[in-house]
Amino acid sequence: MISDVLGQAYFHQNTQGEFVGNDPARGPWSADHCHAGPVSGLIVRAAETEVGPDKMLTRLTVNLLRPLPLAGLRVAAETTRHTKTLATTRVTVHDPDDTLCATATTMHVARRDLGSVPNVDLPAPRLEDVVDGPFPIGEMRHDLPGFAHHSEIGYPAGGNQGAGPKIVWMRTPTLVDGEDPSPIQALCPLADCGNGISWNAPTTEMGFMNTDLTIQVHREPTSDWLASDSISHWQPSGIGMSQSVLFDTQGPVGTALQTLVLFPPN
């Protein structure tokens, strides 16, 4: 596994309260823009702060409208419904010029203590058996350090490391400098990697950018290492989709879906 790559947070805040991307937040498609996974973590941060700790975020849907500049992002959440059982929010992400870059909605459900309940037994892939391997996307469209250089990666022994469906374990940096992320904030960077994990051809042959991200969570993860079991479906129409089951070391915690836009290289 890669080591000594987690020392820098994805973001720091400037004096205007904007989130400025550090090297780990840089995405693969542009040297000036963020990977959407860390930004999704900022969205969860805003929504969780708005709703409070008594309810767990169970769904996040992000619409990516424009590239997300590293130079600065403003994230704001507002409550759209709050009852004893559930809460919903709407979140907006603007750049420093007040251009709307992303919108999101969230669902939060009240925690209760029901004791033991019937459930399926679906163990996680064994972290103890992982082997070293490259970051899932080997190619980048710039030569600056980014998301791929600041994540620890592991693959199940004997697992696929090439094109097609695969399982990847990942440990990522903290979200905001000086803060400990919540479990679901920490899940977001991996959750947005489904297309980059399960590509059907390398980026030299086909681009596969996601236009949205939906995460469903049924249990908050409890480990730093998280895994994604991902598959991508690409169609001749230029439209695709990725599906991921997300795990911590104890078992499944949720799922992630992405709509994909396919674009051949120029």
Side-chain angles (χ1 to χ4, degrees), residues 127-195:
L127 180 62
E128 297 81 0
D129 297 335
V130 299
V131 298
D132 289 343
F135 190 81
I137 298 181
E139 309 88 3
M140 299 176 68
R141 300 203 171 186
H142 57 78
D143 57 2
L144 294 179
F147 185 93
H149 305 98
H150 291 269
S151 302
E152 294 184 350
I153 301 296
Y155 292 82
N160 178 29
Q161 295 190 20
K166 66 180 71 68
I167 297 172
V168 169
W169 282 96
M170 188 178 295
R171 191 160 77 100
T172 58
T174 191
L175 183 64
V176 178
D177 191 28
E179 295 184 7
D180 291 326
S182 75
I184 298 174
Q185 292 170 32
L187 181 65
C188 287
L190 172 66
D192 189 59
C193 286
N195 59 331

Side-chain angles (χ1 to χ4, degrees), residues 20-56:
V20 179
N22 300 321
D23 283 345
R26 182 177 289 110
W29 307 114
S30 166
D32 299 321
H33 296 111
C34 297
H35 190 290
V39 177
S40 298
L42 292 180
I43 291 170
V44 169
R45 178 183 181 274
E48 289 180 331
T49 300
E50 173 75 5
V51 171
D54 292 339
K55 294 180 173 67
M56 188 186 94

Side-chain angles (χ1 to χ4, degrees), residues 213-226:
L213 171 67
T214 296
I215 306 172
Q216 297 273 168
V217 183
H218 56 84
R219 179 173 64 82
E220 290 173 307
T222 60
S223 59
D224 292 338
W225 280 96
L226 301 167

Side-chain angles (χ1 to χ4, degrees), residues 22-256:
N22 300 321
D23 283 345
R26 182 177 289 110
W29 307 114
S30 166
D32 299 321
H33 296 111
C34 297
H35 190 290
V39 177
S40 298
L42 292 180
I43 291 170
V44 169
R45 178 183 181 274
E48 289 180 331
T49 300
E50 173 75 5
V51 171
D54 292 339
K55 294 180 173 67
M56 188 186 94
L57 188 147
T58 58
R59 180 188 54 77
L60 167 71
T61 298
V62 181
N63 296 313
L64 301 167
L65 308 177
R66 290 178 176 84
L68 302 155
L70 284 164
L73 296 168
R74 293 187 290 106
V75 186
E78 62 176 348
T79 299
T80 52
R81 181 170 175 79
H82 202 140
T83 71
K84 183 178 179 180
T85 301
L86 62 86
T88 58
T89 75
R90 180 178 184 270
V91 186
T92 56
V93 180
H94 289 81
D95 70 13
D97 296 325
D98 205 34
T99 301
L100 182 63
C101 297
T103 62
T105 59
T106 66
M107 172 72 73
H108 307 246
V109 175
R111 294 176 173 86
R112 295 185 292 166
D113 184 3
L114 300 183
S116 178
V117 296
N119 197 14
V120 296
D121 182 15
L122 183 62
R126 282 176 51 84
L127 180 62
E128 297 81 0
D129 297 335
V130 299
V131 298
D132 289 343
F135 190 81
I137 298 181
E139 309 88 3
M140 299 176 68
R141 300 203 171 186
H142 57 78
D143 57 2
L144 294 179
F147 185 93
H149 305 98
H150 291 269
S151 302
E152 294 184 350
I153 301 296
Y155 292 82
N160 178 29
Q161 295 190 20
K166 66 180 71 68
I167 297 172
V168 169
W169 282 96
M170 188 178 295
R171 191 160 77 100
T172 58
T174 191
L175 183 64
V176 178
D177 191 28
E179 295 184 7
D180 291 326
S182 75
I184 298 174
Q185 292 170 32
L187 181 65
C188 287
L190 172 66
D192 189 59
C193 286
N195 59 331
I197 289 171
S198 59
W199 46 271
N200 295 318
T203 58
T204 52
E205 299 177 19
M206 184 68 70
F208 38 88
M209 187 177 295
N210 61 304
T211 63
D212 60 12
L213 171 67
T214 296
I215 306 172
Q216 297 273 168
V217 183
H218 56 84
R219 179 173 64 82
E220 290 173 307
T222 60
S223 59
D224 292 338
W225 280 96
L226 301 167
S228 181
D229 185 352
S230 303
I231 184 171
S232 285
H233 306 275
W234 292 2
Q235 302 302 331
S237 61
I239 296 171
M241 182 183 76
S242 76
Q243 301 168 269
S244 302
V245 178
L246 307 173
F247 296 86
D248 67 3
T249 55
Q250 302 304 308
V253 298
T255 62

